[in-house]
């Protein structure tokens, strides 16, 4: 007897389209942000390469600022966080560099989208597992050159552990057949 388990998909809590509106693929309109210094949002109609199954609209919009903060309302717990980036403005490296913090921990230093993505209008992501969140998820970008920018932020509950293997007890089939006889299964026993 074989028992199969289907993998458990992580339950997505929040998907924020930074600088843009809600999408038909369940990405929420930009919310939960604040900024100090220079700030704004922008968009492009350009096709974004490497977007995968993420809607083009997520990578075609951006929220930017000298210091950019997001507070995403999720219950306290362990989460996975995926940050989405695409360089929509600069056409070379060395034009934008920023640090990224998640829950106060620096996760990216002097991050440049253009070289990380391999050019302009190309998507790149960074994923962080087992992020402990208390009082809402805090994501912050602080520019050291140019401005900090996010295209999207995705947060989901950490994947639950795999279920334990079931204990399966199989009782052997016991058949009593006289010597030289045939079982009801058509097997000759001699």
């Amino acid at each position: 007897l074989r028992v199969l388990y289907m993998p458990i998909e992580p339950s997505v809590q929040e998907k924020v389209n930074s600088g843009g509106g809600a999408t038909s693929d369940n990405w929420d309109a930009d919310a939960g942000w604040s900024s100090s210094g220079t700030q704004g949002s922008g968009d492009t109609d350009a096709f974004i390469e490497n977007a995968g199954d993420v809607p083009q609209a997520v990578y075609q919009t951006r929220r930017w600022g000298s210091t950019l903060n997001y507070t995403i309302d999720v219950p306290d717990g362990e989460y996975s966080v995926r940050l989405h980036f695409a360089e929509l403005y600069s056409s070379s490296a060395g034009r934008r560099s920023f640090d990224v913090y998640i829950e106060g921990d620096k996760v990216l230093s002097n991050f440049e989208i253009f070289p990380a993505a391999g050019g302009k209008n190309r998507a790149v992501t960074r994923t962080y597992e087992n992020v402990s969140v208390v009082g809402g998820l805090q994501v912050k970008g602080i520019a050291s050159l140019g401005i900090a920018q996010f295209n999207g932020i995705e947060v989901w509950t950490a994947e639950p552990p795999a279920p334990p293997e079931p204990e399966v007890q199989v009782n052997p089939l016991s058949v009593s057949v006289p010597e030289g006889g045939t079982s009801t299964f058509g097997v000759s026993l001699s």
Side-chain angles (χ1 to χ4, degrees):
L1 178 66
R2 221 167 96 191
V3 177
L4 299 177
Y5 284 101
M6 297 302 291
I8 298 172
E9 291 296 320
S11 116
V12 172
Q13 295 294 315
E14 292 291 331
K15 294 186 205 179
V16 177
N17 182 10
S18 299
T23 72
S24 59
D25 294 41
N26 298 319
W27 284 77
D28 294 332
D30 193 20
W33 66 273
S34 64
S35 182
S36 59
T38 305
Q39 61 85 28
S41 62
D43 62 8
T44 184
D45 291 332
F47 178 79
I48 307 300
E49 294 184 48
N50 301 335
D53 60 356
V54 175
Q56 284 284 311
V58 171
Y59 289 114
Q60 290 172 328
T61 59
R62 68 185 183 138
R63 171 70 54 195
W64 53 268
S66 301
T67 298
L68 182 58
N69 301 292
Y70 272 91
T71 300
I72 299 174
D73 188 24
V74 292
D76 295 354
E78 294 284 316
Y79 292 88
S80 294
V81 178
R82 181 173 297 131
L83 305 176
H84 297 264
F85 304 99
E87 181 56 67
L88 308 180
Y89 180 75
S90 296
S91 296
S92 65
R95 308 284 303 246
R96 174 192 326 283
S97 177
F98 58 101
D99 297 337
V100 175
Y101 297 81
I102 297 177
E103 287 296 296
D105 294 327
K106 187 187 281 188
V107 296
L108 290 171
S109 294
N110 297 314
F111 182 65
E112 289 189 62
I113 300 169
F114 187 92
K120 184 177 178 180
N121 296 328
R122 296 178 59 87
V124 62
T125 62
R126 295 293 186 259
T127 302
Y128 304 92
E129 305 288 335
N130 303 313
V131 176
S132 292
V133 174
V134 177
L137 175 69
Q138 305 296 315
V139 177
K140 178 186 275 190
I142 301 175
S144 52
L145 175 64
I147 54 173
Q149 167 189 308
F150 296 103
N151 297 78
I153 301 172
E154 211 174 345
V155 184
W156 65 91
T157 52
E159 192 168 343
E165 289 294 322
E167 290 184 28
V168 178
Q169 295 181 356
V170 178
N171 294 328
L173 179 62
S174 124
V175 178
S176 219
V177 178
E179 191 172 316
T182 304
S183 74
T184 57
F185 299 109
V187 177
S188 177
L189 303 173
S190 324

